[in-house]
Amino acid sequence: MQFRARLHGACAPASLVLSLLLAGTAHASDNAAAAPAADGAAAEGQAPVQAAPALDEGIVVTARRRVETVQTVPLAVTVVGGPHIDATGAFNVGRLTQLTPTLQFYSSNPRNTSVNIRGLGAPLGLTNDGIEQGVGVYIDDVYYSRAASSTFDFLDVSRIEVLRGPQGTLFGKNTTAGALNITSRAPTFEPEARAEVSVGNMGFVQAKAAVSGPLSDTLALRVAGSFTRRDGSIYNVAQGQWVNSQDNKGGRVQLLWRPNGGVEFTLSGDYNQQDPNCCAMVYVRTGTTQRPLNRQYAALAAAAGYAVPSTNPFDRVTDEDVALRAHNVTGGVSLRGKIETGLGTVTTITAWRFWDWNPSNDRDYLGLPITVRSNNPSHQDQWTQELRLTGESGRFNYTVGAFGFYQKIHTSGVQEQGAAASKFLLNPSNPALYNDPSVLNGLTATNDISLKNTSAAIYAKFGYKLTSKLSIQPGVRINYDKKDGVYNSVVNDGAGNLLTVRPDNTAREKAQLGVLAPQYFVANFSDWNFSGDVTLAYDISPVVHTYATYARSFKSGGINLNGVPADANGNALTQLATVKPERVNHYEVGIKTQFWDRKGTFNLAAFRTEIGDYQAQVSNYAVGALRGYLANADKVRTQGVEVDFSLRPSERFSLYSNAAYTDAKYVRFTNAPCAPELSGGATSPGSCDISGQALPGVSKWSFSYGAEANLPVSFLGGSEDQVYLGFDGNYRSRFSSNPTPSAYTWIEGYALSNFRLGLRRQGRFDIYGWVRNAFDTHYFDQLAVASGNTGLIVGMVGDPRTYGFTLRGQF
């Protein structure tokens, strides 16, 4: 078929050559520099173009708001340097998960995005403006409140620190599961420039550039931009085009003012835009539910005379009949100042950010006009202010800070049913309604949703050396959260008549209200909480460091702004409009070691996190507008062991391997939604006890690994040129892709392998060919239960094999 040839056979001569290219790189934590720069970041500007794999003693991190080395900082942190990000093609958070086994990223579209660490962070696949993220995303000290921002390309990144476990005593916004601390390359007073161009199959083109230099003795400017475009990976036969494409562009400008060695201010502005033809899911399978057979997918499709274009999801075809759009824009301005005082470093960060989301979706995932519009455009503004002091005196060090956050979100959405909705959504036992397309055709719900979110906190982290080897590090946080939300959904029939719930509704109106029902409620949440942690760190030797941590943390309560269930009279059950805060108890021990004259690194961390009142997704598998809401599960627990290993016996060879065992489950959840196979019948239970079952999205076993070898060559008179051959890969075991584990939505384990072969001159240029998913492994990123509980299971298929060339230069 045309579309299969395009994916697997286009550019045949290039494919034959490039498929033989082996590429890769070494791991995470690049050997950026042995000494910190003045702004607390690694002196990455002088780093070689290639990635260096070893977790070296000199890798600098600022995870605890002070300059430390990754091996001595007493917490579980993975550092991924800019060169390694570039070399592996990990240009966004989704790709970053292939390098960090404990990081999970799921996105059916930018708005429906979850970033989790150790299985915790946000409910999988739930769009709800009224909830908090458990994993904080910070770029240059600025908190990004929307997970949609994590779908953009990394822009001129120096390094990324993935911090695991609660971080609320060190960061402005409370982060109960962990944090992504992303540091951009800073303006320099020495002129420099970077440029990179990549081309590949599927129309892939990516360009990145950055230039930096002085404007005066006290002013420096840095300008960076990126552009990514790729054709879609799924062919839509209904519209004759490829969908799930990539179309990203972004830019950042930074102005650094450094009047003297003790004062500096950085003014930054950025703008990022995505316009992909996205996001489609494909037919995966059907499963039997407890609905009557004539109301399950096979019978409904047969009655409509419909068949999907392929029952093999890896044919990568769909026939979704609604034009797709995922217009996503984010940007903002920040001013960060650092002032050296007699007490320490005072840092102030003032920021405003915005987010615009304008989608178009096909929520029935089929080539039938069942749901013809399902769009929820949204606009957000957020303002943050953080002030902190970091210093030390003798054996004592400290970080104290204050943080303020204000957010306004407005969402105006619409859902409209089409001509095929009656046959697909209504009961055939009432032929007068079932056979009348006008009953549901044009039925429309118009939603108006708003949220005002205020948060304020003071936090502190202290450290005291009890002896030359033993230190204690307590931390505290006092937090206040307030949320005010309004949900308003108005429903009109196809003739424009307003629908309301009344005792005397006609049979026709009852059928319509069973699909889309009006609802209005106002909900408020506010709460204070106190949290804290304490860490004991003991240095057995200069290369062996141990630590033990206990943390008590909270994740703010929330508001259900997707709507809530209604009673028999159509009244909103407003007691379900708010969810309680999560209560977190976290325990962790770890050891960080180096051996063989620091050529090898072996780190081990073991953890256990218990959460009371866990904010879990609940779905009633309704055919209408309620796609899910939040409720509190009694208790959840995640525990596991993580291992990081790297070895660099010489400049010519390096390897790494990271492993994570994560056992995450509902300890007690007795009123959970039932799996689709147990739902839909007249006698089906209203809820199920899923205590002891697995949390969604978490593999028990996950690994990342890689190696690189190089040989010196003389090329164009260069004495430092290298030819290199590398590999990096990752594996994850099976995991559940539904809030309640279902036999139909387990994603089987898979391994991805990437290769790379190239020529480089350190600090000057790098040219290489790459193959990603080299063995064309078939895998799913996500599976989902289609609305209505008809037994239809749809999925997001992972990328096929891709290949191309990259040319990168540094001047």
Side-chain angles (χ1 to χ4, degrees), residues 298-461:
L300 294 171
Y306 171 76
V308 293
S310 174
T311 57
N312 179 359
F314 297 105
D315 281 344
R316 300 179 182 273
V317 292
T318 185
D319 62 347
E320 294 188 12
D321 57 335
V322 175
L324 301 178
R325 181 178 65 250
H327 180 74
N328 190 28
V329 179
T330 185
V333 179
S334 67
L335 178 64
R336 179 175 60 173
K338 292 190 175 183
I339 304 171
E340 300 296 335
T341 72
L343 294 176
T345 302
V346 175
T347 303
T348 175
I349 308 107
T350 305
W352 163 75
R353 296 204 60 78
F354 75 92
W355 176 57
D356 275 316
W357 168 241
N358 186 7
S360 177
N361 306 299
D362 190 343
R363 285 299 178 195
D364 56 62
Y365 309 111
L366 301 172
L368 289 171
I370 302 169
T371 301
V372 296
R373 282 196 297 167
S374 179
N375 314 325
N376 284 281
S378 185
H379 177 81
Q380 174 207 295
D381 289 284
Q382 71 162 62
W383 295 264
T384 56
Q385 174 63 57
E386 185 169 2
L387 181 67
R388 64 174 179 263
L389 170 67
T390 301
E392 59 182 303
S393 176
R395 295 186 174 190
F396 182 64
N397 63 71
Y398 49 87
T399 295
V400 294
F403 177 77
F405 171 84
Y406 180 71
Q407 176 188 51
K408 289 175 61 178
I409 302 177
H410 181 245
T411 300
S412 54
V414 62
Q415 179 167 327
E416 180 181 349
Q417 306 307 131
S422 294
K423 277 191 175 295
F424 223 83
L425 303 180
L426 299 183
N427 196 327
S429 64
N430 190 334
L433 299 175
Y434 176 77
N435 292 317
D436 183 358
S438 69
V439 175
L440 296 184
N441 190 19
L443 182 70
T444 303
T446 304
N447 306 319
D448 190 84
I449 306 167
S450 63
L451 174 74
K452 294 181 180 179
N453 183 3
T454 303
S455 180
I458 55 174
Y459 60 93
K461 185 77 171 181

Side-chain angles (χ1 to χ4, degrees), residues 678-737:
L678 299 176
S679 303
T683 60
S684 297
S687 62
C688 288
D689 184 350
I690 61 171
S691 303
Q693 298 195 43
L695 287 181
V698 190
S699 297
K700 278 201 171 183
W701 294 98
S702 55
F703 303 90
S704 63
Y705 37 82
E708 180 183 296
N710 67 76
L711 291 174
V713 296
S714 179
F715 181 73
L716 297 178
S719 60
E720 298 180 356
D721 298 341
Q722 296 176 349
V723 171
Y724 61 95
L725 171 68
F727 162 80
D728 64 90
N730 67 285
Y731 167 81
R732 62 179 308 182
S733 61
R734 71 194 297 257
F735 61 94
S736 169
S737 188

Side-chain angles (χ1 to χ4, degrees), residues 150-171:
S150 62
T151 66
F152 286 99
D153 293 353
F154 296 139
L155 182 60
D156 200 25
V157 168
S158 171
R159 70 180 184 280
I160 299 175
E161 301 165 10
V162 182
L163 287 71
R164 310 191 291 270
Q167 305 295 327
T169 61
L170 281 165
F171 284 81

